C-alpha cells in the first residue's frame, strides 16, 4: 500500500540527517508482518535477491527492467564513473561518528544498492548512476495491531534537468508495472521464510 510522504518524514529516522538534499519519491507499507526484532530478516531478504531489478514472476516487471538495463547499457547511464564514489560521494561520508561506527549492513548480492548503515529499526542503502543518486530506506514500524511491519521509502536526488525528466517519465511505469509486482514478491518471500523467523525465537 502506498503511503503519504509524512509516513516517512514524521518518524525520527537517522536517515533524515544525511539526506536533506534528497526528496521523498515514494513510501510504501510492506506486506511483512512480524515481531519487534525482525528487521534483520527483511534486510537479508532484500540483499539476497528481493531487490528492485531482480527476478520477478511478473512479465511486465521483468520487461520494464530489461528495457531499463538495456537503455542504460546503450547510453552509458550505469558506467562506474557515474556511480557512488565517482559522480557522487557515498552517504557514508556524511554519517555522524556513532552511525559510522555502527554495523554497516550487507550490500545487495545481485542489485546495485550498497549499504550505508543498519540499526535495529532502519536500514539504508544507496545507488547512483547518470540519472539519479537514490536511497532505499527500510524502516521497521508498529502496524497498529500489536505487531510490526516493514516500510520502504525511496529518496532521490536527480542529476540535473535530465535526471528530473527521467524520473518524471518513468513514474507511471513504476506505479503500474514495478511496485505492485515488487510488493507481491516481497510479501510472498516473507511468508515463505516465516519458519526461519519463528524458529529463531
Amino acid at each position: 500500500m502506498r503511503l503519504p510522504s509524512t509516513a516517512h518524514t514524521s518518524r525520527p529516522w537517522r536517515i533524515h540527517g544525511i539526506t536533506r538534499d534528497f526528496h521523498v519519491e515514494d513510501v510504501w507499507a510492506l506486506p511483512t508482518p512480524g515481531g519487534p526484532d525482525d528487521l534483520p530478516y527483511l534486510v537479508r531478504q532484500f540483499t539476497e535477491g528481493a531487490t528492485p531489478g531482480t527476478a520477478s514472476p511478473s512479465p511486465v516487471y521483468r520487461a520494464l527492467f530489461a528495457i531499463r538495463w538495456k537503455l542504460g547499457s546503450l547510453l552509458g547511464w550505469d558506467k562506474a564513473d557515474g556511480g557512488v564514489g565517482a559522480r557522487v560521494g557515498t552517504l557514508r561520508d556524511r554519517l555522524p561518528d556513532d552511525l559510522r561506527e555502527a554495523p554497516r549492513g550487507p550490500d545487495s548480492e545481485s542489485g546495485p544498492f550498497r549499504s550505508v548503515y543498519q540499526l535495529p529499526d532502519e536500514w539504508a542503502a544507496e545507488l547512483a548512476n547518470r540519472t539519479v543518486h537514490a536511497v532505499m530506506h527500510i524502516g521497521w514500524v508498529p502496524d497498529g495491531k500489536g505487531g510490526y511491519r516493514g516500510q520502504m521509502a525511496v529518496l532521490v536526488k536527480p542529476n540535473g534537468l535530465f535526471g528530473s525528466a527521467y524520473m518524471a517519465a518513468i513514474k507511471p511505469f513504476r506505479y503500474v508495472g514495478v511496485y505492485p509486482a515488487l510488493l507481491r514478491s516481497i510479501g510472498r518471500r516473507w511468508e515463505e521464510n516465516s519458519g526461519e523467523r519463528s524458529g529463531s525465537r
Side-chain angles (χ1 to χ4, degrees):
M1 178 177 64
R2 191 179 178 204
L3 301 173
S5 295
T6 53
H8 174 77
T9 58
S10 65
R11 293 189 176 275
W13 303 124
R14 299 298 301 275
I15 193 66
H16 301 320
I18 63 171
T19 55
R20 292 188 178 93
D21 51 341
F22 288 64
H23 73 264
V24 179
E25 184 73 14
D26 293 301
V27 184
W28 296 87
L30 301 181
T32 55
D37 303 317
D38 283 349
L39 177 65
Y41 295 101
L42 184 57
V43 171
R44 187 184 312 160
Q45 178 172 311
F46 268 81
T47 58
E48 291 180 354
T51 53
T54 61
S56 164
S58 165
V60 174
Y61 184 97
R62 291 197 302 268
L64 287 172
F65 272 102
I67 292 168
R68 166 58 183 86
W69 299 133
K70 185 63 175 179
L71 283 174
S73 177
L74 290 173
L75 301 176
W77 292 347
D78 304 312
K79 289 183 177 179
D81 62 359
V84 173
R87 185 180 72 79
V88 298
T90 175
L91 291 178
R92 282 193 60 80
D93 292 340
R94 303 184 183 187
L95 295 180
D97 289 343
D98 66 320
L99 279 184
R100 194 185 302 271
E101 295 168 3
R104 179 172 169 267
D107 292 332
S108 172
E109 294 179 2
S110 57
F113 283 94
R114 296 294 173 261
S115 187
V116 179
Y117 66 87
Q118 183 174 344
L119 296 173
D121 63 346
E122 61 177 308
W123 172 64
E126 65 181 332
L127 71 79
N129 53 40
R130 291 292 181 189
T131 64
V132 71
H133 188 183
V135 176
M136 177 173 61
H137 180 269
I138 304 297
W140 197 243
V141 300
D143 64 6
K145 303 174 183 177
Y148 290 78
R149 61 164 172 78
Q151 179 173 294
M152 178 175 69
V154 178
L155 316 175
V156 299
K157 183 179 181 182
N159 185 14
L161 291 176
F162 169 68
S164 296
Y166 170 80
M167 291 301 297
I170 68 171
K171 192 169 189 175
F173 299 101
R174 293 202 318 269
Y175 291 151
V176 173
V178 175
Y179 282 124
L182 177 63
L183 295 179
R184 286 193 300 270
S185 177
I186 290 170
R188 183 166 52 251
R189 190 170 176 193
W190 184 257
E191 181 63 27
E192 290 171 353
N193 294 337
S194 60
E196 176 187 354
R197 295 190 301 277
S198 60
S200 67
R201 293 172 188 160

